[in-house]
Amino acid sequence: MQNREGMLVLFSGPSGVGKDTVLDIILSKDDYLQRSVSLTTREKRSGEIDGEDYYFITKDEFLKMVKDGQVLEYAQYGENIYGTPKAPVDKWLKEGKTVILKIEVKGAQKIRELYPEALSIFLLPPSMQILEDRIRGRGTEDEQDIKRRLEIAKNEILRSADYDFVVINDNIDEASNNVLNIIKALNFTYKRMNKKISEVIKNV
Ligand code: 5GP
């Protein structure tokens, strides 16, 4: 694709809505997309891989990284802290990659303040009942955690108004295509094409 410049994409949506599946699909379709691997203090779920799904670290390690300026943003979610490591994001943006942050709503707000041009997409479940069924079906959280995640979900959905785009995950392939199309379209805004336009008319 022409005119690649680094771009940040904030990808949010309640727990269980299918963010990881959408990310897996779109990452396999576009080489310029780069997924940021977050830091978390939560326990690893079965099947998750350290360094791929998250960097699983202790609270002390997390706080030390924050103190040393190595964390771009972080937020408390339920009992745990989640955050974005700074160095890889800086590097990928310099390389012209489109960096996707899977991030909850408070962290997304901090990134908007740091990078006002970041694109933001919110993935919405078709209904709260379907969301609850999906979280239960996953079988990775206990009852208390499920209740907490559903409560947070309601508040997160209310914050979807802060996002540029909202995509409903009714059908995973359709939702993934919609997310990818939105990201691709953003490469062709006038602002991002400005340099190319100047080149085209340079010798006229
Ligand atoms: P989970 O425990 O289900 O993997 O993630 C819980 C929440 O943390 C999700 O809403 C997810 O988007 C969010 N999250 C994951 N990584 C980050 C991060 O680096 N920063 C912030 N602020 N939230 C994150």
Side-chain angles (χ1 to χ4, degrees):
M1 198 187 278
Q2 62 210 31
N3 191 39
R4 283 288 187 175
E5 259 178 53
M7 184 165 89
L8 262 184
V9 178
L10 309 176
F11 190 48
S12 302
S15 173
V17 72
K19 297 184 293 291
D20 287 309
T21 315
V22 167
L23 281 180
D24 286 345
I25 293 174
I26 66 172
L27 286 163
S28 71
K29 291 187 176 175
D30 189 327
D31 289 343
Y32 266 88
L33 296 182
Q34 182 68 54
R35 177 190 178 164
S36 160
V37 180
S38 298
L39 310 160
T40 184
T41 61
R42 91 148 153 70
E43 299 249 321
K44 191 157 48 150
R45 292 182 193 139
S46 86
E48 284 185 325
I49 299 170
D50 191 21
E52 256 180 48
D53 296 287
Y54 281 105
Y55 294 106
F56 295 94
I57 60 174
T58 64
K59 194 170 176 187
D60 284 348
E61 288 168 331
F62 201 114
L63 296 178
K64 171 146 192 343
M65 286 185 73
V66 171
K67 195 162 151 255
D68 292 346
Q70 295 176 36
V71 183
L72 196 54
E73 63 70 40
Y74 65 99
Q76 176 101 21
Y77 178 96
E79 304 275 87
N80 296 298
I81 324 173
Y82 295 76
T84 308
K86 186 173 185 310
V89 172
D90 289 345
K91 176 177 159 285
W92 290 321
L93 287 178
K94 273 202 200 103
E95 290 170 359
K97 295 260 164 93
T98 296
V99 184
I100 306 190
L101 309 183
K102 188 187 87 165
I103 194 167
E104 52 66 67
V105 294
K106 292 176 287 210
Q109 187 49 38
K110 284 184 210 156
I111 297 284
R112 275 190 205 97
E113 285 156 22
L114 292 170
Y115 300 88
E117 293 192 357
L119 162 71
S120 59
I121 304 174
F122 191 91
L123 193 63
L124 189 70
S127 70
M128 287 308 280
Q129 187 57 53
I130 290 176
L131 186 70
E132 182 169 347
D133 294 346
R134 283 185 192 162
I135 297 177
R136 289 191 187 282
R138 184 161 81 181
T140 46
E141 281 86 19
D142 62 26
E143 189 59 31
Q144 194 191 5
D145 207 16
I146 291 172
K147 291 237 165 69
R148 192 185 300 127
R149 279 171 184 260
L150 285 169
E151 191 53 40
I152 296 174
K154 212 168 75 187
N155 292 321
E156 290 196 303
I157 291 170
L158 289 170
R159 297 277 299 269
S160 61
D162 299 339
Y163 286 71
D164 299 317
F165 293 91
V166 178
V167 171
I168 299 180
N169 187 12
D170 213 347
N171 169 294
I172 194 74
D173 290 320
E174 214 175 291
S176 306
N177 279 337
N178 287 336
V179 169
L180 191 56
N181 287 338
I182 291 166
I183 294 172
K184 282 186 173 171
L186 260 282
N187 281 296
F188 301 99
T189 58
Y190 175 78
K191 214 166 178 186
R192 295 176 72 83
M193 292 301 284
N194 205 358
K195 228 161 76 194
K196 181 73 190 165
I197 293 167
S198 306
E199 269 171 46
V200 169
I201 56 171
K202 194 169 55 189
N203 298 318
V204 177

